[in-house]
């Protein structure tokens, strides 16, 4: 699979398929280009350390694309929200915010990944 060349993002092949993203001060434009490149049937997967949670810290986030439409969802142990439509501009800003997290990284955080989707978000949406 051909990956895009982005100034602040390098794609690192994972053993389990897909890519981990190596980040070097990526811009919001880098993340927006990543989202528009994202193959259908794949997803961006990352941990949001900012999300307030009483049990385990943060939230795990998935983003999927179909054409020019994007869905995302958040979840953690014991809860999972519904897929929600969102603009690529806002999702790119969200990714940049998480990438620039100034706090101490934990084992929960991990890299931002791009990988084949476990299940299509669009299956839960009904007819287009």
């Amino acid at each position: 699979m051909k990956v895009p060349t982005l100034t602040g993002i390098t794609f690192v092949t994972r053993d389990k398929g897909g890519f981990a993203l190596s980040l070097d001060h990526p811009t919001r434009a880098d993340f927006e280009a990543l989202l528009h490149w994202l193959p259908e049937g794949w997803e961006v997967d990352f941990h949001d350390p900012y999300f307030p949670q009483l049990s385990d810290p943060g939230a795990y986030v998935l983003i999927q694309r179909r054409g020019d439409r994007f869905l995302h969802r958040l979840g953690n142990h014991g809860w999972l929200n519904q897929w929600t439509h969102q603009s690529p501009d806002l999702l790119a800003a969200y990714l940049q915010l998480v990438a620039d997290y100034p706090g101490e990284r934990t084992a929960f955080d991990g890299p931002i990944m791009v990988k084949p989707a476990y299940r299509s978000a669009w299956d839960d949406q009904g007819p287009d």
Side-chain angles (χ1 to χ4, degrees):
M1 168 183 290
K2 184 162 175 50
V3 296
T5 301
L6 302 170
T7 305
I9 300 173
T10 302
F11 290 76
V12 180
T13 303
R14 298 176 59 227
D15 291 340
K16 297 178 182 180
F19 306 92
L21 302 184
S22 175
L23 307 177
D24 185 17
H25 307 290
T27 64
R28 187 160 76 185
D30 288 328
F31 283 118
E32 194 159 350
L34 169 77
L35 292 171
H36 285 289
W37 163 84
L38 184 67
E40 291 186 25
W42 283 57
E43 63 193 9
V44 176
D45 180 343
F46 63 95
H47 183 257
D48 173 2
Y50 292 105
F51 192 84
Q53 185 62 16
L54 297 176
S55 59
D56 295 326
Y60 294 94
V61 183
L62 299 175
I63 300 170
Q64 294 184 21
R65 178 185 75 81
R66 178 178 282 173
D68 60 353
R69 296 173 50 209
F70 293 84
L71 292 174
H72 83 297
R73 92 181 319 173
L74 288 78
N76 207 331
H77 292 104
W79 65 275
L80 186 64
N81 73 355
Q82 297 295 315
W83 288 101
T84 305
H85 288 272
Q86 196 52 261
S87 73
D89 184 55
L90 187 90
L91 292 171
Y94 189 10
L95 282 158
Q96 186 179 24
L97 177 71
V98 168
D100 290 343
Y101 181 67
E104 185 175 328
R105 296 283 178 177
T106 70
F108 293 107
D109 294 325
I112 297 173
M113 295 182 291
V114 176
K115 59 189 182 69
Y118 174 73
R119 180 168 186 236
S120 173
W122 305 96
D123 291 345
D124 297 335
Q125 297 300 301
D128 285 339

